Structures are given as C-alpha cells and as structure tokens.
Amino acid sequence: ACEAFVLAGFGRLLFVLLVRQTSADFEKGKGESCMPLNVKVEESPEGCAVERVTGALRKQGPAKVFATPPVLCCCSPCMAEHQLEIHHLQRMNQCLQQFVIAMPSLTIIKLWALLALPSQGEPVTYGFGAEEVGHMTDVASKVSSLVALQGLFALYKASHDVLHEWSTTPKFVALKFVIFLDMVQVVITNALVSRGILGNPECQLHGENLAEFWSQYLLVLEAVLMAMLISTAFPSRELQGSSASHRAFDAVDFAHMHAANCK
C-alpha cells in the first residue's frame, strides 16, 4: 500500500509542477494564453491552467507517449505517434489512482481469506481456500502495479522536456530506487532462505516469513539512503515563490474536463 501512495504522490507532483511551470512561463510571456485546444474547458483559472499545460505538451509534437516500460515498450513498433490530448492525461491519472484503491482493498481481502477460509491441509467444502485467494490477490496486485507504473512512466516521458528545469529524473530515481531495490532483495532473500543460507533450526521464523523478516530489516536500513536521496532531489528552494492559486490536475479537474469535453 505504501508503494501505491508513493507512485500516486509522485504522479500528482508532476501535475503540480506542470501547472506551476506553464503558469510561470505565461507570466513571463513565454507561454500561451488561455486558448481552446479542440476541447471545451470552462473559462476559469483552473480551466486556463488545463489548457496551458496541454498546450505546452502538444508543442512537443506527436510522440509514442505510452511506448514506455514496463509493458508497452515492447509494442513501440506497432504504435503510432499522436498528439497528447486531455483524455491521455486522464488515463495516466486513472492508472495511478486505481493502484491506490486496489492495493489496500486486495490486502484486506487476502487478510480476510487467511482468517476466514480453510488453510492448507484443511478440507474445502466449497469455493476457494485461503491459499487460492491469496494467490489471486497477489496476481491482481502485480497487474495493478504494472498498470500504475505504465501510467507513471508515460506521464514522466510526456512531461520530461517541459519540466527539465525541475530535475524530474533525480526525483523519480529518489522515490523508485528503494522500491526497485526492495523488489530485487525479496527475490534474493527468498532464494537464500530456501537454500538454508539464512536462518537456523533454532529460529522461530521459517520459509516465507523468514525471508519477509530479512527483507523488511534491509528496508529499514535502506530508508536512510532514501531519505538522503529525497533531501537532495527535493531542495527546499523549489518551494519559493509558490502560489496557492496553482492547482494540480486532481480528480475534480479531470472529471470537469471530461464532462466539458463530452458536451
């Protein structure tokens, strides 16, 4: 669940920075005014911010925005270049938001199955056992994670040039490095435990529980590294000159844009 909020938070940060950057460019005379971009957006500060961001992204020209890791990069030869539209930003936002909803929900379902359904070795009179439900929730979690990463990488690729001054790459690495490291060390600790390299007969933890313990132990140490990376990638000077009137593309904005676009 923590990973879901981190990914969604970074996606929201990119939207906030897009609004701030395009608004700052407009105030300096470098950006476009509030002009229609083949969609209907209410004439308001938020509506103008939406159009400025979309206009800045469209200036980059047609591109294969969704041809990114972890899945669709393999489909790049089959994908056509297209201009970035508002509904593409909506899809990126939805990819991130579904992860925030799916992870806690699937975790609760898995916990309920472990408590209420027959476990391994117990007869199953109907439906599924706890292990089967746990396996299905694990698979669903992986799929949800891949969808969220796909949306985040697409948003990162689309906004990279516009947000060049904000050093989004170090920010992305600072947040994802430890998460990626955790994914790798889970595989390594499981392999070491299965071969008997970690643990001993006197230990009360065995198998998957022992591997999870060592993975979490290493994660505590890696949190120090993550804190150092974040302090470097997110300097306090970037908060100077911020304006409360600069809103991000939150769910309300996307719902508003979608409703206006469908009229």
Side-chain angles (χ1 to χ4, degrees):
C2 178
E3 180 185 1
F5 285 100
V6 169
L7 292 182
F10 184 70
R12 183 173 179 81
L13 173 64
L14 292 180
F15 284 128
V16 170
L17 294 181
L18 281 171
V19 173
R20 286 193 58 187
Q21 182 63 42
T22 53
S23 297
D25 289 342
F26 172 70
E27 292 173 359
K28 295 177 182 178
K30 299 179 181 179
E32 297 182 3
S33 60
C34 185
M35 298 184 300
L37 296 170
N38 300 324
V39 294
K40 295 180 179 179
V41 180
E42 181 181 342
E43 292 185 2
S44 64
E46 292 80 16
C48 288
V50 168
E51 293 187 2
R52 287 170 189 160
V53 169
T54 312
L57 296 177
R58 284 169 59 92
K59 275 185 175 181
Q60 301 176 120
K64 300 179 181 180
V65 178
F66 289 95
T68 59
V71 179
L72 297 183
C73 57
C74 302
C75 304
S76 179
C78 306
M79 301 176 69
E81 295 183 344
H82 58 270
Q83 286 281 9
L84 195 67
E85 302 289 350
I86 290 179
H87 67 271
H88 295 132
L89 298 177
Q90 289 176 308
R91 299 299 174 264
M92 297 173 191
N93 184 60
Q94 291 167 356
C95 286
L96 295 170
Q97 294 304 316
Q98 62 82 27
F99 196 32
V100 176
I101 297 173
M103 285 303 294
S105 302
L106 293 171
T107 301
I108 293 174
I109 293 174
K110 185 176 181 178
L111 180 60
W112 167 82
L114 292 173
L115 295 174
L117 298 180
S119 59
Q120 188 175 7
E122 297 180 0
V124 180
T125 56
Y126 63 93
F128 301 99
E131 283 72 20
E132 288 81 1
V133 174
H135 177 70
M136 288 187 289
T137 56
D138 289 341
V139 172
S141 298
K142 297 297 183 184
V143 173
S144 179
S145 176
L146 289 175
V147 172
L149 286 173
Q150 189 65 53
L152 182 60
F153 272 100
L155 177 59
Y156 171 77
K157 179 180 179 180
S159 61
H160 181 267
D161 292 342
V162 178
L163 299 179
H164 177 72
E165 297 179 1
W166 293 92
S167 303
T168 54
T169 300
K171 290 179 172 60
F172 185 78
V173 172
L175 292 174
K176 286 298 297 176
F177 177 72
V178 174
I179 295 177
F180 174 76
L181 197 60
D182 179 58
M183 296 171 59
V184 174
Q185 72 189 20
V186 166
V187 177
I188 296 176
T189 52
N190 277 298
L192 294 177
V193 169
S194 63
R195 296 184 181 184
I197 299 176
L198 290 178
N200 56 70
E202 298 179 358
C203 182
Q204 298 299 314
L205 296 176
H206 303 281
E208 183 179 346
N209 292 329
L210 180 59
E212 183 69 18
F213 165 79
W214 280 107
S215 178
Q216 296 302 315
Y217 175 78
L218 294 173
L219 191 60
V220 171
L221 302 179
E222 293 157 3
V224 178
L225 173 62
M226 185 175 185
M228 295 173 61
L229 291 174
I230 289 179
S231 64
T232 303
F234 295 84
S236 59
R237 64 176 181 273
E238 292 183 348
L239 298 176
Q240 297 176 359
S242 60
S243 173
S245 62
H246 292 166
R247 296 178 54 199
F249 283 163
D250 57 17
V252 176
D253 294 319
F254 279 109
H256 166 73
M257 288 188 296
H258 179 70
N261 194 24
C262 292
K263 290 181 180 181

